[in-house]
Amino acid sequence: MSRLQFHGRLFEPYLLKSEIDIKVQLLADKLNELYSSEDPPLILGILNGSFIFMADLIRLLKFDCTVQFIRIESYQGLQTTGVVKMESDVSKKWSGQHVIVIEDIVDTGHTLNRFVPVLLSYQPKSIFVSSLLFKQEALEVEVRIDHYCFNIPKYFVVGYGLDFDGLGRNLKEIYRLVD
């Protein structure tokens, strides 16, 4: 893994694919203990960043599930805007379902803080919130996260679904911005 450049900014390797794979397997193991095909959950991915993480995760699950995505945006460039925009068919499919929320990264917490009450308004059986990355130092509002794979410092990161203005999502590893 070598340094990469996006939009004139330099990024260096941060998390290897092998490290990510181990953490995704641990989350899958946990979910396999909690859920069964007898009462299949809905896996709800928050777009755009969660799609690779979610794809890798659901291939490891041993129970039946349904899949849905919701697009929620709060970033522009390197900064969170503080404004959370939701774009999706928010559906009654959430009602009476076990819902597993798959998020790429939780930093300020504003996305989950705004979304979870919307989800709760549909009266799901349960909600399990998981995130690939958690920036605990950056948290501005209280949120419930049932599982996260990595707690990272306030780095700006790309790769494995995360982007910098549209670039870097396709990387197998995660890279951090070099100051």
Side-chain angles (χ1 to χ4, degrees):
M1 288 176 45
S2 59
R3 289 181 167 199
L4 300 174
Q5 200 170 50
F6 298 107
H7 300 298
R9 304 297 296 264
L10 191 61
F11 290 82
E12 67 184 9
Y14 181 60
L15 294 171
L16 301 173
K17 178 71 167 106
S18 59
E19 295 173 290
I20 296 167
D21 288 345
I22 290 168
K23 295 290 189 166
V24 173
Q25 182 64 62
L26 289 172
L27 174 56
D29 293 345
K30 184 174 189 170
L31 294 174
N32 284 327
E33 289 176 14
L34 294 173
Y35 298 95
S36 74
S37 293
E38 294 167 13
D39 193 7
L42 167 66
I43 313 287
L44 182 60
I46 298 179
L47 292 174
N48 284 338
S50 72
F51 77 104
I52 292 176
F53 172 42
M54 187 167 151
D56 285 351
L57 176 65
I58 64 174
R59 284 190 292 260
L60 298 171
L61 299 178
K62 297 177 180 174
F63 52 84
D64 294 332
C65 60
T66 57
V67 173
Q68 186 179 2
F69 290 96
I70 181 167
R71 182 178 170 90
I72 304 178
E73 292 182 335
S74 63
Y75 260 82
Q76 185 171 20
L78 298 172
Q79 300 294 322
T80 182
T81 63
V83 177
V84 177
K85 296 185 285 184
M86 286 188 256
E87 301 173 17
S88 178
D89 164 29
V90 285
S91 146
K92 294 188 184 202
K93 293 178 192 174
W94 302 344
S95 180
Q97 293 288 308
H98 294 291
V99 179
I100 302 169
V101 177
I102 306 295
E103 176 68 290
D104 58 348
I105 187 166
V106 174
D107 46 23
T108 64
H110 289 289
T111 300
L112 285 177
N113 185 269
R114 174 130 183 257
F115 175 64
V116 171
V118 171
L119 180 56
L120 281 168
S121 74
Y122 287 91
Q123 302 177 341
K125 278 186 187 175
S126 68
I127 299 173
F128 184 95
V129 178
S130 62
S131 183
L132 176 65
L133 304 175
F134 179 39
K135 292 185 191 178
Q136 191 168 14
E137 294 174 9
L139 204 59
E140 294 177 2
V141 295
E142 196 65 32
V143 293
R144 185 189 97 203
I145 304 172
D146 297 296
H147 184 94
Y148 57 87
C149 296
F150 298 95
N151 187 0
I152 67 169
K154 289 184 177 182
Y155 296 146
F156 185 85
V157 292
V158 301
Y160 199 70
L162 296 108
D163 75 305
F164 174 32
D165 281 343
L167 298 178
R169 288 192 197 278
N170 61 317
L171 299 170
K172 293 179 186 176
E173 296 83 17
I174 294 177
Y175 289 73
R176 75 175 190 93
L177 178 65
V178 176
D179 297 327

